[in-house]
Amino acid sequence: MAHKQRLLTGLQPSGTLHIGNYFGALKPFVDLYTEYESYLMVVDYHALTTMRDPEALRAAIFNIVRDYIAVGVDPSRVVLFKQSDVPQHTELAWIFECLVTVPFLMQAHAYKDKVAKGLEANAGLFNYPMLMAADILLYDTDIVPVGEDQRQHIEYAREAASKFNNAFGEIFTPPTEKIFEGVGVVPGIDGKKMSKSYGNTIPLFGTREEITKAVMGIVTDSTGGRPETVYAIHALFRDAQELDVLYENNTNNYKALKEALIEDIEAVVAPMREVRNSISDDDVRTILANGAATAGERAAEKMQEVKARIGVTV
Ligand code: ADP
Ligand code: TRP
């Protein structure tokens, strides 16, 4: 059997997921990960560039692990771990920081955006791309599934690999990004892009009441009987032909259409919500401990090679 390619991605432990996140990021990951030897990492040290509330960070870590398992990630088929549990990530990041230049890091979008807004960037944010490069390169990753906004970071990882390889010999594989494009942008209840920063979301793991409230609030602007935003969201949950019949039979009956949408969302979300509620804190701890053991072993091996190459082993 051919050797499986290696896939790795990082998850920011922040906020509550919405259905835009589900169709734009979680579902595509679930559909993909078993074709690869997959690594899924909670990037808690990256989160520290912005978070200052330990209880909130801890809760967000538990949540993101539960979220991914609830949507169908099987922890026995992926190395699911937390970045801070594998110290080689920060160790390798330091080595890359010694190889790239300050002007190069100053071109990074996340840093530039912060400075452009007149905010003071911390040194962690400045070095963020090199920690991400270490995340990826430690595991000889071939494929990195990410959103479009992360494209530049993968270029930075390739640059770190090439800087190291040129200086010390070829030991790092240049990774390739895999940008999910299929679903496009899921609209929020106001018709703009659904985003937690716009407060226009339908929560993925909300209660039935919360989902109902959000759906009933969807704008019903239309150019001919069909409420386009309701329809666009509905199309994610139901086959197009069935949907067209439903919308033709209910022209201008927005309430009936929204009620149908609530049922269709519930049919997908209710089973996931149940799985999510069944996962205890201890289950999460066990999953992360197992993941850290596997990832740690591989990272330690790679780091030995790195250290020998740069000349710090005696
Ligand atoms: P938000 O905009 O709510 O802050 P994030 O930027 O944290 O969401 O996005 C997390 C992931 O979910 C990314 O991969 C992003 O591409 C995807 N995503 C977020 N919002 C949408 C949306 N409205 N439609 C499709 N994908 C989305
Ligand atoms: N920067 C990524 C984001 O904000 C998260 C991330 C950190 C990541 N390390 C990674 C993604 C490694 C892919 C691979 O979404």
Side-chain angles (χ1 to χ4, degrees), residues 232-247:
I233 296 172
H234 214 156
L236 298 164
F237 291 90
R238 205 198 271 229
D239 164 87
Q241 275 171 350
E242 272 180 48
L243 203 62
D244 287 343
V245 174
L246 178 74
Y247 278 65

Side-chain angles (χ1 to χ4, degrees), residues 26-238:
L26 282 80
K27 187 169 182 299
F29 180 83
V30 170
D31 293 342
L32 185 75
Y33 82 103
T34 56
E35 290 170 31
Y36 296 87
E37 184 191 328
S38 290
Y39 290 72
L40 190 55
M41 173 182 46
V42 181
V43 293
D44 48 0
Y45 275 161
H46 275 123
L48 197 62
T49 60
T50 56
M51 289 181 80
R52 291 293 177 270
D53 177 347
E55 279 317 309
L57 180 54
R58 194 171 291 117
I61 292 168
F62 279 115
N63 279 333
I64 193 88
V65 173
R66 283 199 180 90
D67 292 340
Y68 269 76
I69 294 172
V71 299
V73 170
D74 176 350
S76 70
R77 300 182 78 178
V78 63
V79 181
L80 174 47
F81 71 107
K82 181 150 65 59
Q83 190 181 36
S84 63
D85 284 338
V86 182
Q88 285 83 2
H89 290 245
T90 43
E91 198 178 347
L92 182 57
W94 172 257
I95 294 168
F96 291 147
E97 283 154 26
C98 295
L99 294 172
V100 298
T101 67
V102 169
F104 174 68
L105 290 177
M106 281 173 73
Q107 295 309 311
H109 298 317
Y111 171 75
K112 276 202 332 202
D113 291 352
K114 193 131 190 166
V115 173
K117 283 184 197 145
L119 300 168
E120 200 171 52
N122 57 56
L125 181 75
F126 186 68
N127 289 310
Y128 186 116
M130 291 302 105
L131 180 56
M132 181 157 163
D135 297 340
I136 295 167
L137 297 172
L138 257 183
Y139 302 95
D140 299 319
T141 304
D142 300 295
I143 304 288
V144 188
V146 282
E148 176 62 42
D149 61 329
Q150 296 298 311
R151 190 187 287 277
Q152 189 197 38
H153 283 150
I154 315 301
E155 282 166 20
Y156 272 55
R158 282 195 289 269
E159 183 63 18
S162 130
K163 279 268 158 42
F164 188 100
N165 289 346
N166 288 338
F168 302 111
E170 297 276 328
I171 68 162
F172 287 116
T173 318
T176 306
E177 64 277 20
K178 182 170 180 64
I179 313 279
F180 294 133
E181 277 154 356
V183 285
V185 174
V186 177
I189 63 169
D190 57 359
K192 287 191 285 197
K193 175 190 185 277
M194 187 178 289
S195 170
K196 60 177 174 292
S197 37
Y198 302 150
N200 63 354
T201 64
I202 301 176
L204 178 61
F205 294 113
T207 61
R208 189 186 171 98
E209 292 67 36
E210 285 161 347
I211 291 172
T212 302
K213 185 161 178 270
V215 170
M216 286 304 170
I218 301 175
V219 291
T220 48
D221 301 355
S222 80
T223 46
R226 192 170 88 176
E228 293 302 337
T229 303
V230 182
Y231 183 89
I233 296 172
H234 214 156
L236 298 164
F237 291 90
R238 205 198 271 229

